[in-house]
Amino acid sequence: MSRPPEPTVVLVHGAFADASSYAQVVPRLIARGLDVVAPAVPNRSLIGDAAYVASIVRQIPGPVVLVGHSYGGAVITVAGTEENVKALVYLAGYALEEGESLGELQGRFPDSDLAAALVRTPFPVEGSTENGTDVSVRPDKFPAVFAADVDARLAEVLAVSQRPLAAQAFADAAPAAAWRTTPSWGLVASSDRTINPDVERYGYQRAGMTTVEVDSSHLVMLSHPQRVVDLIEEAVRAVSA
């Protein structure tokens, strides 16, 4: 009897970052012989971003392990309902319940250092006379809040090349919670100053995930890439068994 095909790993980045946040993870997964896709998430709204990621997942033949960092965790919670998604991996991420928003989940816990470091700027919305609001991190605060254990020169580059998150994304309620029907793994970044680690722990525990903790800043993929790869490989092995 032949073994099932190994899944494609889809890496979903979070707010204030882009797919390059997986730069240390992708080569390790490719060296392992896995197919990898790391899309550019628009970061405009939870509903729209999840629909975009779901459209990518649907076009992948065979099983998928869907990985989400930070806000990307909320995205995979919704997009992970696609039929070929066989496992979810959360990295310092939001595991929302159906009907829950980012703002609601965060509001149950004390603010992290991120709250005082945010900047809000208007942006034009096509077809509307009203502006949207982009949320980003003050560049001078970014290294300490977001990337405390990442090389300082790299953190400076990341600070000035952020992919902002539209404020709408904080308000959208998740229309589904894929972890209810899909095996899930979660990594808590225990020294996270962007998301209160208790937000991560709460979401993972509620979902009944297999959970690990790493003494890391929010950007665990850059500071502890092998720990991230180990967790993804655990999910891959479970799907491929």
Side-chain angles (χ1 to χ4, degrees), residues 37-55:
V37 177
V41 182
N43 282 6
R44 299 294 82 190
S45 70
L46 175 57
I47 304 302
D49 293 340
Y52 176 72
V53 170
S55 73

Side-chain angles (χ1 to χ4, degrees), residues 22-102:
Y22 287 104
Q24 297 298 320
V25 170
V26 171
R28 288 171 166 83
L29 294 175
I30 291 175
R32 162 75 167 70
L34 293 166
D35 292 329
V36 180
V37 177
V41 182
N43 282 6
R44 299 294 82 190
S45 70
L46 175 57
I47 304 302
D49 293 340
Y52 176 72
V53 170
S55 73
I56 292 172
V57 168
R58 281 195 299 273
Q59 297 175 64
I60 296 173
V64 166
V65 169
L66 196 51
V67 181
H69 172 246
S70 188
Y71 165 66
V75 173
I76 71 169
T77 296
V78 180
T81 57
E82 289 299 310
E83 187 176 338
N84 58 331
V85 175
K86 303 305 180 184
L88 304 169
V89 180
Y90 291 78
L91 306 173
Y94 294 102
L96 298 179
E97 176 59 281
E98 183 175 350
E100 185 176 58
S101 70
L102 288 175

Side-chain angles (χ1 to χ4, degrees), residues 30-211:
I30 291 175
R32 162 75 167 70
L34 293 166
D35 292 329
V36 180
V37 177
V41 182
N43 282 6
R44 299 294 82 190
S45 70
L46 175 57
I47 304 302
D49 293 340
Y52 176 72
V53 170
S55 73
I56 292 172
V57 168
R58 281 195 299 273
Q59 297 175 64
I60 296 173
V64 166
V65 169
L66 196 51
V67 181
H69 172 246
S70 188
Y71 165 66
V75 173
I76 71 169
T77 296
V78 180
T81 57
E82 289 299 310
E83 187 176 338
N84 58 331
V85 175
K86 303 305 180 184
L88 304 169
V89 180
Y90 291 78
L91 306 173
Y94 294 102
L96 298 179
E97 176 59 281
E98 183 175 350
E100 185 176 58
S101 70
L102 288 175
E104 288 171 338
L105 177 55
Q106 281 199 151
R108 299 193 184 106
F109 298 87
D111 284 341
S112 69
D113 292 345
L114 176 69
L118 293 176
V119 178
R120 293 169 175 82
T121 54
F123 68 88
V125 177
E126 185 177 0
S128 175
T129 58
E130 296 186 3
N131 286 331
T133 300
D134 259 344
V135 181
S136 57
V137 183
R138 280 179 48 181
D140 62 322
K141 298 289 188 182
F142 185 99
V145 171
F146 212 73
D149 52 1
V150 174
D151 178 82
R153 290 169 297 181
L154 175 57
E156 289 177 355
V157 173
L158 297 172
V160 300
S161 58
Q162 296 177 50
R163 193 178 191 90
L165 182 67
Q168 179 62 43
F170 292 97
D172 282 352
W179 49 259
R180 285 194 165 275
T181 54
T182 306
S184 303
W185 286 256
L187 184 151
V188 175
S190 60
S191 294
D192 201 333
R193 296 174 63 187
T194 297
I195 298 178
N196 183 333
D198 285 339
V199 174
E200 301 164 22
R201 294 184 184 104
Y202 173 81
Y204 300 168
Q205 183 177 14
R206 178 172 63 180
M209 294 185 197
T210 301
T211 303

